[in-house]
Amino acid sequence: MALQVQIFGPLGMNDTSFRVPQDKRLRVVPAYALKPGQGLVRLPLDDLAPRFLSAGGNLFGTATDYLRFCQMLLNGGELDGVRILSRQSVELMRSPQVDSIPLPFMPGQSFGLGVAVRKADDSAAWLGSPGTYGWSGGYNTYFRIDPSEQVVFALFVQLDFSPLQLELQHGFHDAAVQAYLPAAPR
């Protein structure tokens, strides 16, 4: 309830919650997994009214709501005249707190507070401006925010995430960056 009062409501994220109301359940998009030899296999719907409420694991929402949250971060913690986070909090989020992420599928990135941050000097990093930040979520939800270019880009796929199948996110990331930053630094 606190997230609804302090974040979702003030940001106008009217379709984000832990529980999907009965009248909105037909709007939930099914998720799939890519199974060897079977192709895409539909996954059972996660519980639409979970008992454990984890903002990092089982919120339901629309792409529009998700992008409103991202826009608030891009704006330094404010959207439509409503301040959700202090500018300093957003700066801490997107500032490297740990030198590097020791995961082979996140080259050239450090950890901010809750997000990955593109390093300025790493030729192994994915395309983009230094300081671009974001994260990947379940079912290939993926977002990045480029503060220097004032751009948010996001991917919503509903395909079970596997670090071994990053071609989708990597391809989307590079295509998005090349669309707004044709001479993207590597």
Side-chain angles (χ1 to χ4, degrees), residues 31-158:
Y32 295 85
L34 189 56
K35 302 283 184 179
Q38 298 177 38
L40 287 175
V41 175
R42 188 173 176 164
L43 297 173
L45 251 151
D46 287 340
D47 189 356
L48 298 178
R51 283 184 246 153
F52 177 69
L53 307 181
S54 166
N58 58 13
L59 276 170
F60 290 89
T62 61
T64 300
D65 282 2
Y66 200 99
L67 290 170
R68 287 190 62 76
F69 186 83
C70 290
Q71 185 67 48
M72 177 272 298
L73 291 175
L74 177 64
N75 294 351
E78 183 177 339
L79 183 64
D80 296 335
V82 176
R83 177 146 305 275
I84 300 298
L85 296 170
S86 70
R87 185 165 295 285
Q88 296 87 345
S89 292
V90 175
E91 288 298 321
L92 279 172
M93 279 180 67
R94 62 188 195 100
S95 298
Q97 305 295 319
V98 175
D99 185 46
S100 66
I101 299 175
L103 300 171
F105 57 90
M106 295 189 80
Q109 298 187 56
S110 61
F111 270 121
L113 296 179
V115 293
V117 181
R118 187 191 190 284
K119 291 181 172 184
D121 59 352
D122 197 321
S123 61
W126 289 5
L127 295 178
S129 305
T132 297
Y133 65 100
W135 200 249
S136 302
Y139 304 115
N140 276 297
T141 301
Y142 178 88
F143 81 96
R144 288 298 184 267
I145 298 171
D146 184 338
S148 66
E149 297 295 324
Q150 292 290 292
V151 173
V152 169
F153 54 99
L155 176 70
F156 306 96
V157 180
Q158 292 300 91

Side-chain angles (χ1 to χ4, degrees), residues 4 7-17 65-66 68-69:
Q4 178 61 42
I7 299 172
F8 308 149
L11 286 178
M13 296 170 62
N14 301 320
D15 287 313
T16 299
S17 66
D65 282 2
Y66 200 99
R68 287 190 62 76
F69 186 83

